Amino acid sequence: MTTATTRSHERRISPVFLAILAVMAVTGWAVWSGFAASTGLAIFLFVTSAWVVSLCLHEYAHARTALHGGDITVGAKGYLTLNPLAYTHAVLSIILPVLFVIMGGIGLPGGAVFIEQGRIKGRWKHSLISAAGPLANVLFAIVCTAPFWLDALDGVPLAFQFALAFLAFLQVTAALLNFLPVPGLDGYGVIEPWLSYGIKRKIEPYAPYGFFVVIGLLFVPAVNGAFFDTIDALMRALGVPELSRYCGSNLYRFWEGTPEGCEV
């Protein structure tokens, strides 16, 4: 009886997550209906809260997959409640990615939940646990872009289209960055179980710095150009017009004013 109660408590959705979800729903409705004193502010709140929801789902996907892989400790750590405050590195997982969206407009990968690797048996399970997080971003991107590639935009307000386009852009950038095979990112976690012990030992000292190396490389013009060319190609493949993403990004930063051609 005590064990069952504990497990139920460990998997109960956190009020913190429900509050963020409520903000997303209310501000999403405000963007859709136009019932907002400032459309830009409504888009800012909607996209920011939706982005935090996606970060929570990203970490939940890691934890849930780890649970089924053999790490039964994730529940006691609060990872199954979708509570962003329960993460090992709340600053890296939530605060820093939100700041990067505000300042740079890209979906920065967050810090991962702590998985007890020794409890996971089998290389495929280790790889799947690492892949589960960015795959959650991929799924989120598909949902956001569905109205575009399904040609189902009739009746969808322009402001909401712009917000969805920018939110999808964040998910695509987050997924692509996370899947890079760089130590410290999920992409490296996917391939790490298949590397030899010697290679892993050589790479291990550099793992804490991989994340910052990637961020630094994005400031190199050639790398930045290649990265965003790839993102633009993926967005076009998903049917999202460049103008929609551009307007969504600019309306999100409402304090900078509305650029010409993005009036709603």
Side-chain angles (χ1 to χ4, degrees):
M1 179 74 109
T2 304
T3 303
T5 304
T6 303
R7 287 178 179 172
S8 174
H9 174 72
E10 290 173 354
R11 302 182 188 193
R12 189 175 301 142
I13 297 178
S14 163
V16 176
F17 178 77
L18 292 176
I20 298 169
L21 203 62
V23 171
M24 184 186 80
V26 171
T27 54
W29 170 81
V31 174
W32 181 285
S33 65
F35 190 75
S38 168
T39 301
L41 177 59
I43 289 176
F44 173 83
L45 293 174
F46 169 61
V47 172
T48 300
S49 56
W51 172 235
V52 175
V53 166
S54 75
L55 292 172
C56 293
L57 292 174
H58 176 111
E59 304 300 350
Y60 176 82
H62 282 308
R64 189 75 191 193
T65 311
L67 176 68
H68 292 291
D71 184 2
I72 60 174
T73 69
V74 293
K77 294 169 184 170
Y79 297 159
L80 301 177
T81 65
L82 291 160
N83 183 359
L85 302 180
Y87 301 144
T88 307
H89 300 291
V91 172
L92 286 179
S93 294
I94 300 296
I95 298 175
L96 195 59
V98 169
L99 286 177
F100 256 77
V101 170
I102 293 172
M103 296 186 299
I106 64 169
L108 186 73
V113 294
F114 177 72
I115 305 298
E116 296 193 10
Q117 302 291 345
R119 295 176 178 268
I120 311 298
K121 306 302 180 184
R123 290 183 293 183
W124 282 107
K125 289 181 180 179
H126 283 281
S127 294
L128 185 57
I129 290 168
S130 293
L135 286 175
N137 293 111
V138 170
L139 181 60
F140 210 111
I142 291 173
V143 171
C144 290
T145 57
F148 294 93
W149 49 265
L150 289 175
D151 291 325
L153 292 172
D154 289 344
V156 178
L158 204 55
F160 198 80
Q161 291 184 38
F162 294 162
L164 278 184
F166 181 51
L167 184 56
F169 170 79
L170 296 179
Q171 301 304 321
V172 171
T173 55
L176 184 60
L177 286 171
N178 265 296
F179 270 129
L180 292 175
V182 175
L185 298 181
D186 292 326
Y188 178 72
V190 173
I191 66 171
E192 183 185 22
W194 308 91
L195 300 176
S196 69
Y197 177 74
I199 292 177
K200 286 190 283 189
R201 282 295 301 272
K202 290 179 180 179
I203 293 176
E204 188 177 0
Y206 305 100
Y209 311 107
F211 172 82
F212 300 102
V213 169
V214 169
I215 300 306
L217 286 174
L218 286 176
F219 287 96
V220 177
V223 176
N224 184 279
F227 175 75
F228 281 103
D229 284 346
T230 302
I231 295 298
D232 288 341
L234 290 171
M235 294 295 286
R236 286 194 299 271
L238 290 167
V240 180
E242 186 176 350
L243 179 63
S244 295
R245 191 256 291 175
Y246 168 79
C247 289
S249 175
N250 280 276
L251 288 171
Y252 177 83
R253 292 189 290 277
F254 64 94
W255 55 89
E256 296 179 357
T258 303
E260 187 177 350
C262 295
E263 296 82 3
V264 292

